Amino acid sequence: RAEVAEIREKLRISEAAREAAGGVEALGAEVAELKKELDDRDAELQSRDSHCDQLDAQIATLEHDASDARAALATATETHAAALTAAAETHAVALTAATETHAAARAAAAEAHAA
């Protein structure tokens, strides 16, 4: 009877060891699946980081272009203001000359009419 009990105990221990080994295999499979998921997510994050780097470069280019455009606009505004000032001065001189010419012509016409 002691031998039978000992054999039964060994069978029970053996069965428990088999069950534990199956649990370890299942855990190993789960760990492998989680590692694959982690690797997939890491690859996705690296891809997103690369895309973000590309967007950052595009933003920097656009900011540089905008800065150039603002400088060109400032120059064009200054040039336009100078042209308007010059045109106003030319117009004033021409208007003064035309007014003086007109006044002289009227005076000459009045003298001619009086004579």
Side-chain angles (χ1 to χ4, degrees), residues 41-52:
R41 287 187 180 178
D42 185 48
E44 182 181 340
L45 287 175
Q46 287 179 2
S47 173
R48 286 182 181 180
D49 282 346
S50 175
H51 188 247
C52 285

Side-chain angles (χ1 to χ4, degrees), residues 5 21 23 30 41-42 52 56-57 63 66 74 76 88-89 91-92 95 97 111 115:
E30 188 175 340
R41 287 187 180 178
D42 185 48
C52 285
D56 286 343
E63 286 174 344
E89 290 172 359
H91 184 263
L95 185 59
E111 281 182 27

Side-chain angles (χ1 to χ4, degrees), residues 37-108:
E37 185 178 333
L38 180 63
D39 290 344
D40 291 347
R41 287 187 180 178
D42 185 48
E44 182 181 340
L45 287 175
Q46 287 179 2
S47 173
R48 286 182 181 180
D49 282 346
S50 175
H51 188 247
C52 285
D53 289 343
Q54 291 172 352
L55 291 175
D56 286 343
Q58 289 176 350
I59 288 169
T61 299
L62 291 172
E63 286 174 344
H64 183 266
D65 291 349
S67 177
D68 289 350
R70 282 190 292 274
L73 179 60
T75 300
T77 301
E78 289 172 8
T79 303
H80 185 251
L84 284 175
T85 301
E89 290 172 359
T90 302
H91 184 263
V93 169
L95 185 59
T96 300
T99 302
E100 290 172 357
T101 302
H102 184 257
R106 284 190 85 165

